[in-house]
């Protein structure tokens, strides 16, 4: 067996085995050894280096010099000015920084280091070496420096880092993936539990993303997700971690955050930023987002508890009509089950005959003559009673039931309208999802011919969300429907993603001005009246009719007529009523509707009849909450409470509100809150902060997420035990009874 020992001067020897080879080798002289080292250096197989006792470089293979800037001396520089151990999370930094190893004069074995070479530069300029070295000592055992070798591992390092990144980050958006989010959440919650800190978790789910993906294609969907993640990165506070869990689901972890006021503000900002239009390959796309929020340790202590809580909150936000946020609360568990039940039952509602179409008149704003009716779906659930279409239509859209329901609605409405005298129009709502279905024109055509209704008497109400789909497909659908001869109305105008450009793109016959503009239009200094005027003049210029929706009060009706909307729809004339009622009314030959309603619109003042606890000293009382605003409340049930008394109102689930009695008469007190309440995202109010489970734990209770129910202040806040100061009366039945 031949062995080539390499090197220019080394001769080839024939040896029976390796040991013999060593025995038979002639020692090479110093010159030859140097030449051998030169060859190794030149080949780039390894480089050599040495330092003095101060850690300054005394030698480096000349081949290695080329990675440094030519103007740099290198020799004489400190080793830790040239190399640095990794701190980029690849795990290659090992435990000890290089300077530590050097100061300990330890052996260095295959230590990866970043070479601090040519400026900081981009990723492509970064060079990684693996260095190995041994400390050298003189005869007297004094340290004289290191001698070592180095080799370039830049390529391997890059590969390793990329693959570890792939395991932690989402390749589409660069955000953390589910795996990393779970790891981070677990680490954070574990550490925070010891340090008694809080952490908020937001779950986001994009609304209508599927539609964009289906109509514009997957590459466009991917681009949209990238743009969404960029927007998220711009808004979330520093120190947060954002992840994409898959599909159109995002998660944001915000450490040290438990302020529901701030979280609500952030959620609103996120919703409005994500709802701004996107430009994707020349198309305009519009989506929205729903957000669920849970906060540790209040809503969950363990990662899976917190994730589940934020999921439930998200589910509730979506059920509430999308584009909303929700905080987790204990009663969500129940409503999530309700929604699942509704979805189940909705599948059979049609065949069981639980659905019905009702009709609301649309009248001329001046003569009050009826022009047509809007068909609105009604569902009488055998167990839950009437369920609002605002609740079940979105569920139908999510569970692919909308096509069947929509087809039934069209047939039924056409059949019913065919019975009406004269040439009254029936308006049927069409979901954006029905609008992208190729079968819609056929479904409409069949409904008309089955009922024998002329196409001009059918109007389809469509919302602006249909415009976020593929432009060509949308335009083609509009053309097909127009060719059938049906009318088209743009519903809820001004609410979502209003763009006047839409009006030009589609052959609308009518614009329906959303209720929200009607609501404010009678108040001074409100911009609604100006907006209504603008919409009406625009519509007129484009030959479209306008309908103002949701008119309830006399002053609103007057204002709408004055602003010159063509038609009015609202409770002031009639709610949606069954076909039998329509026939009865029209059967009399009376085609006018009389306005009946309050003189002016009253702001919704919800009368509350909720039982809550009040804590005074260390006593709990049960009272009725009659009124609740951001800054105060009215309670009923305690007798003779002096003005100025400090109370704590217990709204349940750890929501304690410190307040002062500012008015008191008999069994009723007006309370003023020390800190105002904040929006709970669902039209209600909640406290900014809650009693911390850590605080309850330190008072001797087990550490757990806050269960439902009332809270007393933890021990130490109640003062000495005293007799109850106030008499509690039962006011729920209206009669004051001593309690
Ligand atoms: P929409 O199309 O905007 O319908 C008008 C809603 O406003 C109806 O609610 C109606 O009852 C209500 N409304 C009318 N006048 C007044 C008023 O003066 N004051 C107030 N506060 N409300 C008024 P409804 O029936 O609960 O329907 C809610 C939504 O459900 C509808 O909003 C529509 O988007 C959807 N929807 C209803 N029926 C159908 C249907 O057959 N198909 C589809 N796809 N959606 C439907
Ligand atoms: Ca409508
Ligand atoms: Ca509407």
């Amino acid at each position: 067996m031949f062995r080539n020992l390499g090197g220019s001067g080394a001769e080839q020897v024939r040896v029976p085995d390796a040991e013999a080879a060593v025995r038979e080798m002639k020692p090479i002289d110093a010159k030859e050894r140097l030449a051998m080292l030169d060859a190794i250096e030149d080949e780039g197989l390894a480089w050599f280096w040495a330092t003095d006792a101060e850690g300054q470089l005394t030698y480096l293979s000349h081949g290695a010099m080329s990675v440094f800037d030519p103007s740099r001396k290198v020799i004489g520089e400190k080793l830790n000015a040239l190399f640095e151990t990794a701190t980029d999370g690849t795990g290659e930094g090992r435990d000890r920084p290089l300077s530590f190893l050097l100061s300990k004069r330890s052996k260095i074995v295959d230590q990866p280091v970043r070479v601090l070479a040519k400026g900081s530069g981009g990723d492509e300029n970064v060079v990684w070496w693996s260095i190995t070295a041994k400390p050298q000592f003189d005869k007297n055992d004094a340290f004289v420096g290191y001698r070592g070798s180095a080799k370039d591992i830049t390529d391997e390092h890059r590969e390793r880092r990329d693959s570890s990144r792939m395991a932690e980050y989402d390749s589409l958006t660069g955000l953390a993936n589910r795996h990393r989010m779970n790891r981070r959440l677990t680490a954070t919650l574990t550490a925070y539990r010891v340090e008694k800190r809080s952490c908020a978790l937001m779950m986001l789910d994009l609304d209508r993303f599927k539609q964009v993906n289906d109509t514009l294609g997957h590459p466009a969907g991917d681009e949209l997700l990238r743009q969404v993640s960029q927007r998220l990165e711009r808004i979330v506070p520093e120190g947060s971690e954002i992840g994409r869990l898959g599909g159109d689901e995002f998660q944001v972890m915000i450490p040290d955050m438990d302020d529901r006021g701030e979280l609500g503000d952030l959620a609103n900002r996120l919703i409005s930023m994500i709802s701004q239009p996107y430009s994707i390959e020349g198309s305009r796309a519009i989506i929205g987002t729903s957000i669920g929020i849970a906060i540790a340790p209040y809503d969950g202590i363990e990662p899976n508890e917190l994730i589940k809580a934020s999921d439930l909150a998200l589910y509730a936000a979506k059920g509430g009509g999308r584009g909303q946020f929700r905080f987790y609360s204990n009663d969500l568990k129940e409503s999530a089950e309700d929604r699942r039940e509704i979805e189940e039952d909705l599948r059979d509602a049609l065949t069981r005959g639980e659905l019905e179409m009702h009709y609301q008149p649309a009248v001329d704003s001046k003569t009050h003559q009826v022009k047509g009716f809007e068909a609105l779906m009604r569902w009488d659930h055998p167990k839950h009673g009437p369920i609002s279409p605002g609740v079940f239509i979105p569920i139908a859209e999510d569970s692919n039931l909308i096509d069947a329901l929509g087809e039934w609605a069209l047939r039924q409405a056409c059949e019913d309208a065919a019975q009406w005298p004269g040439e009254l129009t029936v308006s049927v709502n069409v979901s954006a999802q029905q609008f992208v279905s190729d079968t819609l024109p056929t479904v409409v055509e069949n409904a008309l011919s089955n009922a024998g209704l002329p196409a001009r008497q059918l109007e389809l109400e469509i919302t602006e969300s249909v415009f976020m789909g593929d432009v060509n497909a949308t335009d083609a659908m509009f053309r097909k429907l127009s060719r059938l001869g049906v009318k088209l109305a743009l519903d809820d105008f001004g609410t979502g993603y209003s763009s006047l450009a839409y009006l030009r793109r589609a052959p609308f016959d009518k614009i329906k001005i959303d209720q929200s503009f009607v609501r404010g239009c009678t108040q001074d200094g409100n911009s609604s009246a100006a907006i209504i005027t603008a919409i009406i003049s625009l519509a007129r210029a484009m030959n479209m009719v306008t309908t103002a929706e949701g008119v309830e009060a006399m002053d609103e009706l007057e204002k709408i007529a004055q602003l010159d909307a063509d038609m009015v729809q609202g409770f002031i004339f009639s709610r949606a009523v069954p076909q039998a009622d329509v026939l009865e009314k029209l059967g009399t030959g009376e085609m006018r509707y009389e306005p009946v309603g309050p003189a002016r619109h009253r702001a919704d003042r919800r009368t509350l009849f909720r039982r809550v606890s009040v804590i005074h000293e260390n006593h709990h009382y049960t009272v009725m909450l009659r009124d609740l605003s951001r800054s105060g409340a009215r309670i009923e049930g305690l007798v003779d409470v002096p003005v100025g008394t400090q109370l704590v109102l217990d709204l349940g689930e750890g929501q304690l509100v410190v307040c002062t009695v500012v008015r008191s008469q008999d069994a009723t007190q007006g309370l003023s809150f020390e800190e105002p309440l904040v929006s709970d995202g669902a039209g209600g109010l909640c406290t900014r902060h809650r009693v911390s489970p850590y605080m309850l734990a330190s008072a001797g209770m087990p550490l757990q997420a806050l269960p439902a129910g009332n809270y007393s202040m933890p021990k130490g806040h109640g003062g000495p035990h005293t007799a109850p100061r106030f008499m509690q009366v039962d006011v729920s039945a209206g009669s004051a009874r001593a309690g």
Side-chain angles (χ1 to χ4, degrees):
M1 184 184 163
F2 285 97
R3 203 158 273 202
N4 187 347
L5 293 178
S8 45
E11 69 228 74
Q12 289 180 3
V13 264
R14 197 164 219 272
V15 285
D17 58 43
E19 224 175 281
V22 172
R23 256 195 330 264
E24 283 177 28
M25 249 189 346
K26 271 193 259 160
I28 54 174
D29 61 19
K31 230 172 106 188
E32 274 181 274
R33 285 171 56 159
L34 264 179
M36 199 163 85
L37 286 181
D38 280 345
I40 292 174
E41 288 185 310
D42 288 346
E43 289 293 317
L45 294 173
W47 295 315
F48 302 105
W49 56 272
T51 69
D52 61 18
E54 274 72 55
Q56 287 157 343
L57 201 69
T58 54
Y59 176 79
L60 181 64
S61 302
H62 60 268
M65 288 288 201
S66 63
V67 307
F68 294 99
D69 205 89
S71 64
R72 201 160 155 187
K73 273 205 352 255
V74 184
I75 299 298
E77 282 195 59
K78 285 261 194 197
L79 208 59
N80 39 11
L82 296 168
F83 306 133
E84 168 184 84
T85 28
T87 50
D88 62 350
T90 53
E92 295 197 313
R94 306 279 168 86
D95 307 320
R96 299 277 152 83
L98 184 62
S99 53
F100 178 86
L101 296 173
L102 294 175
S103 70
K104 286 271 167 226
R105 291 165 190 177
S106 314
K107 230 166 103 175
I108 300 170
V109 182
D110 288 336
Q111 171 69 50
V113 291
R114 203 164 79 94
V115 182
L116 301 171
K118 294 171 178 157
S120 51
D123 192 42
E124 61 287 352
N125 286 335
V126 175
V127 173
W128 284 87
W129 284 359
S130 168
I131 62 174
T132 295
K134 245 176 111 172
Q136 305 293 316
F137 300 92
D138 66 12
K139 279 180 277 177
N140 307 323
D141 263 357
F143 175 70
V144 291
Y146 272 102
R147 271 189 211 156
S149 63
K151 63 174 190 265
D152 190 296
I153 54 158
T154 308
D155 291 342
E156 292 103 297
H157 178 84
R158 210 170 271 165
E159 245 165 61
R160 197 159 37 225
R161 191 206 46 200
D162 288 350
S163 69
S164 80
R165 230 184 231 172
M166 229 144 64
E168 292 255 298
Y169 293 93
D170 168 37
S171 58
L172 180 66
T173 60
L175 299 176
N177 62 16
R178 183 187 293 271
H179 170 72
R180 181 180 168 84
M181 286 308 283
N182 284 349
R183 204 168 56 73
R184 293 270 290 127
L185 187 66
T186 305
T188 306
L189 292 188
T190 310
Y192 280 21
R193 193 168 160 161
V194 179
E195 295 161 22
K196 299 193 184 354
R197 288 156 70 179
S198 62
C199 178
L201 189 68
M202 284 189 171
M203 284 287 292
L204 287 83
D205 189 295
L206 303 183
D207 300 329
R208 292 179 301 270
F209 172 74
K210 194 178 167 299
Q211 240 168 290
V212 174
N213 217 27
D214 290 351
T215 55
L216 295 184
H218 287 266
D222 286 354
E223 175 57 25
L224 183 63
L225 291 172
R226 270 191 290 268
Q227 291 191 25
V228 167
S229 61
Q230 283 160 10
R231 292 186 191 184
L232 284 175
E233 281 178 317
R234 254 182 284 147
I235 316 172
V236 305
E238 221 170 291
S240 315
E241 176 108 28
I242 314 171
R244 183 168 81 105
L245 305 186
D248 60 348
E249 254 188 10
F250 295 84
Q251 194 178 54
V252 182
M253 181 182 92
I254 312 165
D256 289 312
M257 170 59 82
D258 68 349
D259 185 324
R260 289 193 283 185
E262 270 185 49
L263 282 166
D265 289 345
L266 175 62
N268 278 328
R269 267 203 311 283
L270 286 168
I271 291 166
S272 78
M273 275 295 270
I274 288 175
S275 309
Q276 301 298 314
Y278 297 79
S279 165
I280 288 160
E281 296 159 6
S283 290
R284 201 172 128 102
I286 296 159
I287 54 164
T289 187
S290 305
I291 302 180
I293 309 170
I295 308 166
Y298 310 88
D299 305 321
I301 313 247
E302 301 296 332
N304 56 341
E305 279 181 314
L306 199 64
I307 290 170
K308 202 163 162 220
S310 63
D311 268 338
L312 276 171
L314 173 64
Y315 197 61
K318 287 176 87 74
R322 299 175 187 163
Q324 299 183 359
F325 73 86
R326 282 286 188 290
F327 291 115
Y328 172 78
S329 79
N330 282 305
D331 49 353
L332 289 185
K333 258 184 244 150
E334 222 169 276
S335 60
E337 277 151 27
D338 284 351
R339 194 179 143 103
R340 265 188 286 276
E341 192 185 326
I342 288 175
E343 188 179 319
E344 283 291 296
D345 294 346
L346 195 55
R347 291 182 195 282
D348 303 321
L350 203 53
T351 48
R352 289 203 202 131
E354 291 162 10
L355 297 175
E356 212 181 315
M357 295 309 285
H358 284 200
Y359 301 94
Q360 183 183 36
V363 309
D364 184 285
S365 65
K366 309 265 163 52
T367 65
H368 304 171
Q369 190 91 12
V370 62
K371 297 285 192 180
F373 292 86
E374 175 173 3
L376 293 160
M377 204 180 286
R378 296 291 176 257
W379 180 19
D380 197 6
H381 190 281
K383 190 171 126 202
H384 298 290
I387 295 177
S388 159
V391 171
F392 72 79
I393 293 286
I395 295 177
E397 288 172 346
D398 282 350
S399 49
N400 290 323
L401 292 167
I402 193 63
D403 281 321
L405 291 189
E407 179 168 356
W408 173 81
L410 273 162
R411 284 174 164 268
Q412 190 63 48
C414 289
E415 271 176 39
D416 288 346
Q419 320 273 311
W420 302 340
E423 284 251 315
L424 294 167
T425 303
V426 65
S427 306
V428 180
N429 293 286
V430 174
S431 286
Q433 268 177 60
Q434 289 172 266
F435 198 80
V436 296
S437 151
D438 292 334
T439 57
L440 183 65
T442 323
V443 168
V444 170
E445 208 173 358
N446 289 344
L448 288 168
S449 63
N450 266 337
L453 188 75
R456 62 176 180 280
Q457 274 178 256
L458 174 64
E459 182 172 66
L460 304 180
E461 296 197 0
I462 301 157
T463 60
E464 289 156 291
S465 56
V466 300
F467 291 103
M468 34 150 287
D470 174 48
V471 178
N472 296 328
T474 313
D475 288 354
M477 181 60 84
F478 276 122
R479 272 198 306 278
K480 280 183 205 154
L481 294 173
S482 298
R483 226 176 284 145
L484 289 177
V486 299
K487 291 186 195 151
L488 295 170
L490 184 54
D491 203 356
D492 302 342
F493 188 73
T495 48
Y497 325 106
S498 293
S499 160
L500 299 175
Y502 293 155
L503 293 174
R504 234 167 270 134
R505 259 185 51 199
F508 287 112
D509 302 277
K510 185 188 280 174
I511 299 180
K512 299 190 78 173
I513 302 164
D514 190 68
Q515 317 202 355
S516 52
F517 297 109
V518 173
R519 267 313 76 81
C521 76
T522 55
Q523 279 150 34
D524 291 338
N526 191 298
S527 59
S528 297
I531 294 172
I532 294 177
T533 305
I535 298 175
I536 291 173
S537 60
L538 181 82
R540 206 143 284 164
M542 301 180 82
N543 262 324
M544 296 184 225
V545 170
T546 48
T547 300
E549 287 192 282
V551 176
E552 293 181 358
M554 289 300 184
D555 60 340
E556 289 170 345
L557 181 61
E558 208 174 294
K559 186 78 184 179
I560 291 298
Q562 184 201 323
L563 294 174
D564 215 13
D566 300 299
M567 298 214 271
V568 171
Q569 216 181 309
F571 293 171
I572 195 160
F573 290 110
S574 172
R575 291 174 185 256
V577 296
Q579 164 77 347
D581 295 19
V582 174
L583 292 177
E584 194 188 309
K585 160 93 184 173
L586 298 179
T588 64
E590 176 58 63
M591 300 299 264
R592 285 183 66 245
Y593 275 81
E594 249 349 280
V596 180
R600 13 176 87 251
H601 188 266
R602 275 175 296 125
D604 247 1
R605 179 181 273 268
R606 270 193 292 165
T607 321
L608 294 158
F609 299 101
R610 198 173 123 205
R611 251 176 223 284
V612 296
S613 279
V614 161
I615 304 155
H616 181 253
E617 294 177 341
N618 47 23
H619 294 285
H620 251 98
Y621 303 89
T622 302
V623 298
M624 259 328 167
L625 185 65
R626 292 298 194 203
D627 240 324
L628 184 69
S629 73
R630 278 175 190 265
S631 58
R634 195 159 53 88
I635 55 165
E636 218 176 323
L638 294 183
V639 183
D640 289 336
V641 183
V643 167
T645 306
Q646 283 250 331
L647 299 174
V648 175
L649 194 61
D650 184 347
L651 297 175
E653 295 184 38
Q655 305 186 85
L656 297 182
V657 190
V658 179
C659 48
T660 310
V661 176
V662 288
R663 272 183 312 281
S664 184
Q665 193 179 17
D666 305 330
T668 302
Q669 284 81 38
L671 307 177
S672 165
F673 298 158
E674 198 176 271
E675 187 186 46
L677 301 184
V678 297
S679 164
D680 70 354
L685 296 165
C686 63
T687 57
R688 237 173 219 283
H689 303 282
R690 285 172 280 174
V691 179
S692 161
Y694 297 135
M695 198 157 144
L696 296 174
S698 68
M701 282 147 106
L703 180 62
Q704 57 174 13
L706 296 177
N710 295 329
Y711 286 76
S712 48
M713 287 293 246
K715 281 190 192 106
H717 291 255
H721 197 82
T722 52
R725 194 73 66 84
F726 308 117
M727 188 171 70
Q728 185 175 317
V729 293
D730 185 359
V731 290
S732 59
S735 61
R737 202 157 24 92

